[in-house]
Amino acid sequence: MRRSQSLVPTLREDPADAEALSHKLMLRAGLIRQLGAGIYLFLPLGQRVLDKVNAIIREEMNAIGGQEITMPVIHPAEIWKQSGRWEGIPEMFKLQDRYGRDLCLGMTHEEVVAWLAAREIRSYRDLPQIWYQIQTKERDEARPRSGVLRTREFLMKDSYTLDPDVAALDRSYGAHDRAYRRIFDRCGLRYWVVQSDTGMMGGLGSHEFMAPAAAGEDEIAICEGCGYAANVEIARGVPAPPAFPAWTREEVATPGARTIAEVSRLLAIDPRLTIKSLLYIGKTSGPVLVLVRGDHALHERKLARALGQEVRPAHPDEVRQHLGAPAGSVGPVGARVTVLADEHLKDGVYVVGANRDGFHLRGVAPGRDFDCRFADLHTVTAGEACVQCGKPLVVEKAIEIGNIFKLGTKYSVALDAMYLDESGREQPIVMGSYGIGPARIAAAAIEQLADGDGIVWPWSIAPLHVYIVCVNVKDQAQRAAAEAIYDACRTHGLEAMLDDRDERPGVKFKDADLLGIPVRVTVGNSLVKEGVVEVRSRKTRQESRVPQDKVIDAVHAIRATESRN
RNA sequence: CGGGGUGUGGCGCAGCCCGGUAGCGCACCUGCUUUGGGAGCAGGGGGUCGGAGGUUCAAAUCCUCUCACCCCGACCA
């Protein structure tokens, strides 16, 4: 590519509406432009990065027997009605054709896969199968954000496995796990494989691939001792217990104290000696009083999982109606609703709301002073002990770059995707589904590797390998040498950008740093005076001066030390 | 969906409180000089001030409605 003729619109300043580092840099480096909320164009260099990522994905998917196909973006409503997902997904874009027939834009493709399988898979001899595509998904996200990290239209590699039984599904799942690790390793990312919530959609198990980054939307808990890693949606930890005083049960006046902080300050006690009582309304069960330790936060998904239904916080008037006291003074003793407590409240004595405005009860022991069910409900915080080995947990923000999911037979049963087993019996196909977000890989790489001057691409997914700066394009000797190096790169399999613009050197150097292409070759004065050019690593910033005919060797040498493949 | 914020030339912003007919930096065009870390001088082009309505002699500025985008939360199959 010649810079003078390429669409690489770099920006000198941070765009006003970008917050995340990767968002700013992708805009500034001219990789993307925004058309609307969560709708992006990929410009030439951004496209090249996606191409690199997708090539790696294809290689590794093909290596485990994946077969690439392309499924439609427009789906007839019928298959979604059959699976039961036509209603109740607010993210689904729905539309009608000119005859008024209902259609939707594909946000995922389990239905289409099951439809295909229902028609083409008949015998156990046809199994297993791995089908995948790299294709556009459409989701009407409630809140698109952070540039390319959560968008309404995005590229996804989605694959689907078809197996005769759960044991075979486990093998397909394992193959994906290994392929994903190779993919993310090759893309130069630091990541964790974490246990994740299978959600309301059910399923037999799932894992997420999480790349730690400040812009990440998810939080993961990690044990550096034993390798335990889980999304905080399900992560368990053992909080350090406080020293319990020898309290006897009594009512204490706490005028005006509503929050845990106020109550513990008033009573001059450790907040860990209090219990936070929260009234929730279950979709089917009605009111439930939920208890967590005063210093803990309830994780609503954990609550929903424990109850097996969706929940919402009660309104203030509902709190008064069910408990006879305002929020801030409520507690489990004498409450006429179901009580669910965090499992770490089993032992000890606490201060709880008295269900009487301005009063709390001191010395209350869960199980003794009130009945309740125990479950893991609190959000893990950094420093809690690992449930497996006892070492302190670390909590990090992370970008979900991939997920693998054991679906089971939900879709095959719904869409009648059956096969005949060895004994001639009809059985539902056992499915799995697996996703990777190529743009998220690019953003995660930027987040993890960028420095103060811009992007630092790993070799494997860099849009180009070499950035050639011709310091003064009006100097014929420089110009000729730069062109010769540019040609040499091409003949030696190196992808190069020749910055042939008539700009000040500083402009070109700043741009080279911003773009993050692994090697910069500078053709300038030292060529004229000493016959050498400079070859510089973007990552290490180390520079060597080499004769013009040794440039390719020097580039390969840097690549050999910095690249994993 | 709840809360907060922002819309002024391609980009980043000032002007708005206190109404008087739009300005700065960068970018862009022309010329000259300059060429190793975002050059200098001179000249020049480009803006329905997000949109609609209203108040007023007069609206970027005040009022009402509306649209778009960003951030926090909820949601995220």
Side-chain angles (χ1 to χ4, degrees), chain A residues 302-326:
Chain A
K302 286 185 171 181
L303 173 61
R305 210 165 30 247
L307 291 172
Q309 59 186 301
E310 296 292 351
V311 295
R312 64 167 174 84
H315 302 302
D317 52 313
E318 288 172 321
V319 174
R320 210 174 253 290
Q321 176 198 334
H322 292 293
L323 298 167

PDB file of all heavy atoms in Angstrom, chain A residues 302-326:
ATOM      1  N   LYS A 302     -27.201 -14.514  40.550  1.00  0.00           N
ATOM      2  CA  LYS A 302     -27.106 -15.640  41.482  1.00  0.00           C
ATOM      3  C   LYS A 302     -28.448 -15.860  42.167  1.00  0.00           C
ATOM      4  O   LYS A 302     -28.884 -16.995  42.366  1.00  0.00           O
ATOM      5  CB  LYS A 302     -26.023 -15.373  42.531  1.00  0.00           C
ATOM      6  CG  LYS A 302     -24.607 -15.506  42.000  1.00  0.00           C
ATOM      7  CD  LYS A 302     -23.600 -15.339  43.131  1.00  0.00           C
ATOM      8  CE  LYS A 302     -22.187 -15.690  42.662  1.00  0.00           C
ATOM      9  NZ  LYS A 302     -21.208 -15.563  43.770  1.00  0.00           N
ATOM     10  N   LEU A 303     -29.093 -14.768  42.526  1.00  0.00           N
ATOM     11  CA  LEU A 303     -30.405 -14.868  43.157  1.00  0.00           C
ATOM     12  C   LEU A 303     -31.404 -15.520  42.202  1.00  0.00           C
ATOM     13  O   LEU A 303     -32.138 -16.439  42.578  1.00  0.00           O
ATOM     14  CB  LEU A 303     -30.901 -13.475  43.568  1.00  0.00           C
ATOM     15  CG  LEU A 303     -32.337 -13.403  44.096  1.00  0.00           C
ATOM     16  CD1 LEU A 303     -32.497 -14.263  45.346  1.00  0.00           C
ATOM     17  CD2 LEU A 303     -32.738 -11.957  44.383  1.00  0.00           C
ATOM     18  N   ALA A 304     -31.395 -15.045  40.967  1.00  0.00           N
ATOM     19  CA  ALA A 304     -32.328 -15.590  39.979  1.00  0.00           C
ATOM     20  C   ALA A 304     -32.084 -17.088  39.794  1.00  0.00           C
ATOM     21  O   ALA A 304     -33.017 -17.879  39.675  1.00  0.00           O
ATOM     22  CB  ALA A 304     -32.164 -14.851  38.648  1.00  0.00           C
ATOM     23  N   ARG A 305     -30.824 -17.466  39.806  1.00  0.00           N
ATOM     24  CA  ARG A 305     -30.500 -18.878  39.624  1.00  0.00           C
ATOM     25  C   ARG A 305     -30.969 -19.692  40.833  1.00  0.00           C
ATOM     26  O   ARG A 305     -31.525 -20.774  40.690  1.00  0.00           O
ATOM     27  CB  ARG A 305     -29.004 -19.041  39.409  1.00  0.00           C
ATOM     28  CG  ARG A 305     -28.655 -20.226  38.546  1.00  0.00           C
ATOM     29  CD  ARG A 305     -27.220 -20.203  38.029  1.00  0.00           C
ATOM     30  NE  ARG A 305     -26.313 -19.550  38.912  1.00  0.00           N
ATOM     31  CZ  ARG A 305     -25.697 -18.406  38.627  1.00  0.00           C
ATOM     32  NH1 ARG A 305     -25.899 -17.815  37.479  1.00  0.00           N
ATOM     33  NH2 ARG A 305     -24.874 -17.856  39.481  1.00  0.00           N
ATOM     34  N   ALA A 306     -30.761 -19.134  42.025  1.00  0.00           N
ATOM     35  CA  ALA A 306     -31.161 -19.854  43.233  1.00  0.00           C
ATOM     36  C   ALA A 306     -32.675 -20.042  43.286  1.00  0.00           C
ATOM     37  O   ALA A 306     -33.168 -21.042  43.796  1.00  0.00           O
ATOM     38  CB  ALA A 306     -30.677 -19.097  44.473  1.00  0.00           C
ATOM     39  N   LEU A 307     -33.410 -19.066  42.758  1.00  0.00           N
ATOM     40  CA  LEU A 307     -34.869 -19.141  42.792  1.00  0.00           C
ATOM     41  C   LEU A 307     -35.451 -19.810  41.558  1.00  0.00           C
ATOM     42  O   LEU A 307     -36.628 -20.160  41.527  1.00  0.00           O
ATOM     43  CB  LEU A 307     -35.471 -17.736  42.916  1.00  0.00           C
ATOM     44  CG  LEU A 307     -35.239 -17.024  44.248  1.00  0.00           C
ATOM     45  CD1 LEU A 307     -35.715 -15.580  44.161  1.00  0.00           C
ATOM     46  CD2 LEU A 307     -35.962 -17.751  45.369  1.00  0.00           C
ATOM     47  N   GLY A 308     -34.621 -19.914  40.507  1.00  0.00           N
ATOM     48  CA  GLY A 308     -35.103 -20.514  39.267  1.00  0.00           C
ATOM     49  C   GLY A 308     -36.092 -19.632  38.535  1.00  0.00           C
ATOM     50  O   GLY A 308     -36.955 -20.111  37.804  1.00  0.00           O
ATOM     51  N   GLN A 309     -35.994 -18.329  38.720  1.00  0.00           N
ATOM     52  CA  GLN A 309     -36.893 -17.409  38.021  1.00  0.00           C
ATOM     53  C   GLN A 309     -36.299 -16.004  38.016  1.00  0.00           C
ATOM     54  O   GLN A 309     -35.378 -15.698  38.762  1.00  0.00           O
ATOM     55  CB  GLN A 309     -38.246 -17.382  38.719  1.00  0.00           C
ATOM     56  CG  GLN A 309     -38.139 -16.939  40.173  1.00  0.00           C
ATOM     57  CD  GLN A 309     -39.451 -17.052  40.916  1.00  0.00           C
ATOM     58  OE1 GLN A 309     -40.427 -16.444  40.530  1.00  0.00           O
ATOM     59  NE2 GLN A 309     -39.457 -17.861  41.960  1.00  0.00           N
ATOM     60  N   GLU A 310     -36.878 -15.169  37.164  1.00  0.00           N
ATOM     61  CA  GLU A 310     -36.421 -13.782  37.101  1.00  0.00           C
ATOM     62  C   GLU A 310     -36.869 -13.033  38.349  1.00  0.00           C
ATOM     63  O   GLU A 310     -37.920 -13.333  38.918  1.00  0.00           O
ATOM     64  CB  GLU A 310     -36.998 -13.094  35.862  1.00  0.00           C
ATOM     65  CG  GLU A 310     -36.526 -13.674  34.537  1.00  0.00           C
ATOM     66  CD  GLU A 310     -35.046 -13.428  34.274  1.00  0.00           C
ATOM     67  OE1 GLU A 310     -34.421 -12.655  35.029  1.00  0.00           O
ATOM     68  OE2 GLU A 310     -34.524 -14.031  33.326  1.00  0.00           O
ATOM     69  N   VAL A 311     -36.055 -12.063  38.744  1.00  0.00           N
ATOM     70  CA  VAL A 311     -36.388 -11.286  39.930  1.00  0.00           C
ATOM     71  C   VAL A 311     -36.209  -9.802  39.647  1.00  0.00           C
ATOM     72  O   VAL A 311     -35.511  -9.417  38.720  1.00  0.00           O
ATOM     73  CB  VAL A 311     -35.472 -11.653  41.116  1.00  0.00           C
ATOM     74  CG1 VAL A 311     -35.696 -13.081  41.545  1.00  0.00           C
ATOM     75  CG2 VAL A 311     -34.005 -11.414  40.755  1.00  0.00           C
ATOM     76  N   ARG A 312     -36.864  -9.013  40.483  1.00  0.00           N
ATOM     77  CA  ARG A 312     -36.631  -7.564  40.436  1.00  0.00           C
ATOM     78  C   ARG A 312     -36.675  -7.033  41.863  1.00  0.00           C
ATOM     79  O   ARG A 312     -37.342  -7.627  42.730  1.00  0.00           O
ATOM     80  CB  ARG A 312     -37.688  -6.868  39.584  1.00  0.00           C
ATOM     81  CG  ARG A 312     -39.099  -6.978  40.158  1.00  0.00           C
ATOM     82  CD  ARG A 312     -40.078  -6.021  39.470  1.00  0.00           C
ATOM     83  NE  ARG A 312     -41.437  -6.260  39.935  1.00  0.00           N
ATOM     84  CZ  ARG A 312     -41.946  -5.736  41.053  1.00  0.00           C
ATOM     85  NH1 ARG A 312     -41.200  -4.957  41.831  1.00  0.00           N
ATOM     86  NH2 ARG A 312     -43.196  -5.999  41.409  1.00  0.00           N
ATOM     87  N   PRO A 313     -35.973  -5.922  42.131  1.00  0.00           N
ATOM     88  CA  PRO A 313     -36.041  -5.338  43.467  1.00  0.00           C
ATOM     89  C   PRO A 313     -37.471  -4.850  43.724  1.00  0.00           C
ATOM     90  O   PRO A 313     -38.149  -4.395  42.806  1.00  0.00           O
ATOM     91  CB  PRO A 313     -35.089  -4.146  43.402  1.00  0.00           C
ATOM     92  CG  PRO A 313     -34.276  -4.349  42.164  1.00  0.00           C
ATOM     93  CD  PRO A 313     -35.089  -5.162  41.233  1.00  0.00           C
ATOM     94  N   ALA A 314     -37.926  -4.949  44.982  1.00  0.00           N
ATOM     95  CA  ALA A 314     -39.259  -4.463  45.320  1.00  0.00           C
ATOM     96  C   ALA A 314     -39.266  -2.945  45.361  1.00  0.00           C
ATOM     97  O   ALA A 314     -38.253  -2.317  45.651  1.00  0.00           O
ATOM     98  CB  ALA A 314     -39.664  -5.028  46.675  1.00  0.00           C
ATOM     99  N   HIS A 315     -40.418  -2.371  45.057  1.00  0.00           N
ATOM    100  CA  HIS A 315     -40.569  -0.927  45.190  1.00  0.00           C
ATOM    101  C   HIS A 315     -40.717  -0.597  46.688  1.00  0.00           C
ATOM    102  O   HIS A 315     -41.131  -1.450  47.468  1.00  0.00           O
ATOM    103  CB  HIS A 315     -41.812  -0.453  44.423  1.00  0.00           C
ATOM    104  CG  HIS A 315     -41.765  -0.801  42.969  1.00  0.00           C
ATOM    105  ND1 HIS A 315     -40.752  -0.384  42.147  1.00  0.00           N
ATOM    106  CD2 HIS A 315     -42.593  -1.556  42.194  1.00  0.00           C
ATOM    107  CE1 HIS A 315     -40.958  -0.863  40.926  1.00  0.00           C
ATOM    108  NE2 HIS A 315     -42.065  -1.581  40.932  1.00  0.00           N
ATOM    109  N   PRO A 316     -40.406   0.644  47.069  1.00  0.00           N
ATOM    110  CA  PRO A 316     -40.493   1.033  48.485  1.00  0.00           C
ATOM    111  C   PRO A 316     -41.858   0.722  49.106  1.00  0.00           C
ATOM    112  O   PRO A 316     -41.937   0.258  50.244  1.00  0.00           O
ATOM    113  CB  PRO A 316     -40.243   2.542  48.442  1.00  0.00           C
ATOM    114  CG  PRO A 316     -39.383   2.728  47.235  1.00  0.00           C
ATOM    115  CD  PRO A 316     -39.843   1.712  46.235  1.00  0.00           C
ATOM    116  N   ASP A 317     -42.944   0.942  48.341  1.00  0.00           N
ATOM    117  CA  ASP A 317     -44.269   0.676  48.931  1.00  0.00           C
ATOM    118  C   ASP A 317     -44.514  -0.817  49.092  1.00  0.00           C
ATOM    119  O   ASP A 317     -45.235  -1.244  49.997  1.00  0.00           O
ATOM    120  CB  ASP A 317     -45.371   1.326  48.084  1.00  0.00           C
ATOM    121  CG  ASP A 317     -45.266   0.951  46.621  1.00  0.00           C
ATOM    122  OD1 ASP A 317     -44.143   1.019  46.084  1.00  0.00           O
ATOM    123  OD2 ASP A 317     -46.281   0.573  46.017  1.00  0.00           O
ATOM    124  N   GLU A 318     -43.884  -1.631  48.241  1.00  0.00           N
ATOM    125  CA  GLU A 318     -44.005  -3.081  48.390  1.00  0.00           C
ATOM    126  C   GLU A 318     -43.267  -3.551  49.643  1.00  0.00           C
ATOM    127  O   GLU A 318     -43.698  -4.469  50.328  1.00  0.00           O
ATOM    128  CB  GLU A 318     -43.453  -3.794  47.158  1.00  0.00           C
ATOM    129  CG  GLU A 318     -44.340  -3.656  45.927  1.00  0.00           C
ATOM    130  CD  GLU A 318     -43.682  -4.214  44.673  1.00  0.00           C
ATOM    131  OE1 GLU A 318     -42.463  -4.039  44.488  1.00  0.00           O
ATOM    132  OE2 GLU A 318     -44.409  -4.825  43.874  1.00  0.00           O
ATOM    133  N   VAL A 319     -42.139  -2.900  49.926  1.00  0.00           N
ATOM    134  CA  VAL A 319     -41.376  -3.246  51.128  1.00  0.00           C
ATOM    135  C   VAL A 319     -42.242  -2.996  52.359  1.00  0.00           C
ATOM    136  O   VAL A 319     -42.378  -3.849  53.238  1.00  0.00           O
ATOM    137  CB  VAL A 319     -40.082  -2.395  51.217  1.00  0.00           C
ATOM    138  CG1 VAL A 319     -39.370  -2.648  52.539  1.00  0.00           C
ATOM    139  CG2 VAL A 319     -39.154  -2.724  50.045  1.00  0.00           C
ATOM    140  N   ARG A 320     -42.870  -1.841  52.396  1.00  0.00           N
ATOM    141  CA  ARG A 320     -43.730  -1.490  53.517  1.00  0.00           C
ATOM    142  C   ARG A 320     -44.928  -2.449  53.617  1.00  0.00           C
ATOM    143  O   ARG A 320     -45.307  -2.905  54.703  1.00  0.00           O
ATOM    144  CB  ARG A 320     -44.236  -0.064  53.335  1.00  0.00           C
ATOM    145  CG  ARG A 320     -44.502   0.685  54.619  1.00  0.00           C
ATOM    146  CD  ARG A 320     -44.860   2.128  54.311  1.00  0.00           C
ATOM    147  NE  ARG A 320     -43.793   3.062  54.641  1.00  0.00           N
ATOM    148  CZ  ARG A 320     -43.421   3.362  55.887  1.00  0.00           C
ATOM    149  NH1 ARG A 320     -43.981   2.762  56.908  1.00  0.00           N
ATOM    150  NH2 ARG A 320     -42.471   4.236  56.102  1.00  0.00           N
ATOM    151  N   GLN A 321     -45.478  -2.775  52.479  1.00  0.00           N
ATOM    152  CA  GLN A 321     -46.656  -3.651  52.440  1.00  0.00           C
ATOM    153  C   GLN A 321     -46.340  -5.055  52.989  1.00  0.00           C
ATOM    154  O   GLN A 321     -47.092  -5.611  53.770  1.00  0.00           O
ATOM    155  CB  GLN A 321     -47.143  -3.746  50.984  1.00  0.00           C
ATOM    156  CG  GLN A 321     -48.306  -4.700  50.742  1.00  0.00           C
ATOM    157  CD  GLN A 321     -48.415  -5.051  49.259  1.00  0.00           C
ATOM    158  OE1 GLN A 321     -47.993  -4.299  48.384  1.00  0.00           O
ATOM    159  NE2 GLN A 321     -48.969  -6.222  48.982  1.00  0.00           N
ATOM    160  N   HIS A 322     -45.192  -5.614  52.570  1.00  0.00           N
ATOM    161  CA  HIS A 322     -44.883  -6.988  52.954  1.00  0.00           C
ATOM    162  C   HIS A 322     -44.196  -7.091  54.309  1.00  0.00           C
ATOM    163  O   HIS A 322     -44.277  -8.113  54.976  1.00  0.00           O
ATOM    164  CB  HIS A 322     -43.993  -7.647  51.896  1.00  0.00           C
ATOM    165  CG  HIS A 322     -44.692  -7.865  50.592  1.00  0.00           C
ATOM    166  ND1 HIS A 322     -45.742  -8.750  50.443  1.00  0.00           N
ATOM    167  CD2 HIS A 322     -44.512  -7.294  49.375  1.00  0.00           C
ATOM    168  CE1 HIS A 322     -46.167  -8.718  49.186  1.00  0.00           C
ATOM    169  NE2 HIS A 322     -45.442  -7.839  48.514  1.00  0.00           N
ATOM    170  N   LEU A 323     -43.483  -6.038  54.738  1.00  0.00           N
ATOM    171  CA  LEU A 323     -42.689  -6.150  55.959  1.00  0.00           C
ATOM    172  C   LEU A 323     -43.100  -5.154  57.039  1.00  0.00           C
ATOM    173  O   LEU A 323     -42.629  -5.231  58.170  1.00  0.00           O
ATOM    174  CB  LEU A 323     -41.206  -5.967  55.618  1.00  0.00           C
ATOM    175  CG  LEU A 323     -40.654  -7.026  54.660  1.00  0.00           C
ATOM    176  CD1 LEU A 323     -39.301  -6.612  54.118  1.00  0.00           C
ATOM    177  CD2 LEU A 323     -40.556  -8.386  55.360  1.00  0.00           C
ATOM    178  N   GLY A 324     -43.943  -4.213  56.672  1.00  0.00           N
ATOM    179  CA  GLY A 324     -44.447  -3.286  57.665  1.00  0.00           C
ATOM    180  C   GLY A 324     -43.437  -2.255  58.139  1.00  0.00           C
ATOM    181  O   GLY A 324     -43.619  -1.642  59.182  1.00  0.00           O
ATOM    182  N   ALA A 325     -42.363  -2.101  57.389  1.00  0.00           N
ATOM    183  CA  ALA A 325     -41.354  -1.112  57.771  1.00  0.00           C
ATOM    184  C   ALA A 325     -40.697  -0.602  56.496  1.00  0.00           C
ATOM    185  O   ALA A 325     -40.740  -1.268  55.462  1.00  0.00           O
ATOM    186  CB  ALA A 325     -40.306  -1.744  58.680  1.00  0.00           C
ATOM    187  N   PRO A 326     -40.119   0.589  56.570  1.00  0.00           N
ATOM    188  CA  PRO A 326     -39.463   1.118  55.373  1.00  0.00           C
ATOM    189  C   PRO A 326     -38.128   0.406  55.106  1.00  0.00           C
ATOM    190  O   PRO A 326     -37.500  -0.095  56.039  1.00  0.00           O
ATOM    191  CB  PRO A 326     -39.224   2.590  55.731  1.00  0.00           C
ATOM    192  CG  PRO A 326     -39.183   2.626  57.221  1.00  0.00           C
ATOM    193  CD  PRO A 326     -40.080   1.527  57.702  1.00  0.00           C
TER     194      PRO A 326
END
